[in-house]
Amino acid sequence: MTTAAPIDTPSARAVRHARVAFALAALASTVATHWPRLALAPAESPIDKLAHALNFAFLSALLWRTRWVRRVLPLMAIMAAWATVDELTQAIPVLHRQADLDDWLADLVGIAVASAYLRAFRPMGRGLGALFERRRSLAREALLTRGI
């Protein structure tokens, strides 16, 4: 018989909150990018490109926090695919929007920045853990062979 992981731990609650936040942010982002004739800033404005980059950086970080994606490369691939679909679907005529290569590139910059941040500040991983475990086992052996 296996035991299920506790569902009401602080960690589990944090993951649930991240999933809700991601779903709401994804919905808001999709609505904002597809709302007919919505213009928060002129398309050629640097503010527009910054908004695209920040939006996809934020979404990437939130998706990471959901723990649905556990490695950075798949995260980047998923988010890049989303950015591509997002820009291409803006070309649907009834939306009165247009796909923009510069917007897509700004999306990719945001994804890259978030991914670099996640990689730079990720836990050290198995290699360091294995080193510490080896040191502990050597210390145990030394203590046991000396009879202490």
Side-chain angles (χ1 to χ4, degrees):
M1 182 167 105
T2 61
T3 58
I7 58 171
D8 201 33
T9 64
S11 177
R13 280 192 303 273
V15 169
R16 278 196 310 274
H17 293 162
R19 289 176 178 175
V20 170
F22 173 76
L24 292 173
L27 178 64
S29 174
T30 303
V31 168
T33 58
H34 290 80
W35 196 268
R37 295 187 178 99
L38 177 66
L40 301 177
E44 57 279 346
S45 168
I47 299 294
D48 178 58
K49 304 314 174 225
L50 180 62
H52 276 268
L54 289 175
N55 178 44
F56 273 86
F58 181 69
L59 288 170
S60 297
L62 276 178
L63 180 57
W64 181 258
R65 296 283 299 150
T66 66
R67 295 190 182 167
W68 287 329
V69 181
R70 304 289 258 187
R71 294 183 338 183
V72 174
L73 243 54
L75 173 76
M76 291 176 72
I78 290 166
M79 292 305 297
W82 181 1
T84 303
V85 170
D86 183 65
E87 280 303 317
L88 290 176
T89 54
Q90 288 181 44
I92 297 171
V94 296
L95 295 178
H96 303 287
R97 310 263 321 189
Q98 62 186 21
D100 185 4
L101 179 63
D102 291 339
D103 287 349
W104 180 70
L105 292 173
D107 296 343
L108 295 182
V109 166
I111 294 164
V113 167
S115 299
Y117 176 83
L118 293 170
R119 290 208 35 105
F121 294 102
R122 73 180 186 267
M124 293 302 289
R126 182 178 173 175
L128 191 60
L131 175 65
F132 287 144
E133 179 56 37
R134 178 73 179 137
R135 286 182 180 172
R136 281 191 293 273
S137 93
L138 288 173
R140 276 193 302 271
E141 286 176 25
L143 288 172
L144 291 174
T145 57
R146 292 184 184 170
I148 296 177

